[in-house]
Amino acid sequence: MTVPVVLIGFGLGMVGGPFADMALAKVPHGNAGSDSGLFNTAMHLGIALGTALTSLVFFSATGGSPDGAINREAFTAVLWWVGGTLAVMWALMFFLPEHTKSQAG
C-alpha cells in the first residue's frame, strides 16, 4: 500500500507547483491576492470532489462489507482508478500552452 500511495503523492506534488505557476502567470499584480484565493478555493474544491468520487468508487465496490478481502480488492481498484486518472492528467499536461513570463515580474 505504501509504494502506490507514495507514487501518487509524488506525482501530485510534481504537478501542484507548476500548475499554480501557470494558472497565475498572467495575473496583474493588483489582482494577485484575489486570484490566488480563487485558485486555492478551486484546488480545495477539486480535492473534496476527488475524495468524494474516490470514496464512491471504494464503497460501491465494498457494498459496506467489513470483510478484509473485499476491502483490499476495493482499495486496489481505487488505487488503479486514481493512478489512471493521474496518468491521463499527466498526458494532458503536454497539451497546455508553454510557460510565459509573468506580467507582475
Side-chain angles (χ1 to χ4, degrees):
M1 177 172 114
T2 303
V3 173
V5 171
V6 167
L7 287 174
I8 289 171
F10 181 73
L12 285 171
M14 289 189 61
V15 170
F19 183 62
D21 186 38
M22 184 192 73
L24 300 173
K26 294 186 177 183
V27 174
H29 187 67
N31 295 336
S34 298
D35 289 341
S36 176
L38 179 62
F39 176 79
N40 284 319
T41 301
M43 289 295 288
H44 283 96
L45 180 63
I47 290 168
L49 184 60
T51 302
L53 290 174
T54 302
S55 299
L56 180 69
V57 171
F58 178 79
F59 287 113
S60 68
T62 64
S65 172
D67 183 23
I70 293 173
N71 286 324
R72 187 173 29 256
E73 289 176 16
F75 184 76
T76 304
V78 166
L79 281 179
W80 280 111
W81 183 78
V82 170
T85 303
L86 289 175
V88 168
M89 289 172 48
W90 176 79
L92 290 174
M93 282 182 20
F94 291 105
F95 295 103
L96 293 172
E98 290 190 30
H99 180 73
T100 58
K101 289 188 177 186
S102 173
Q103 292 178 354

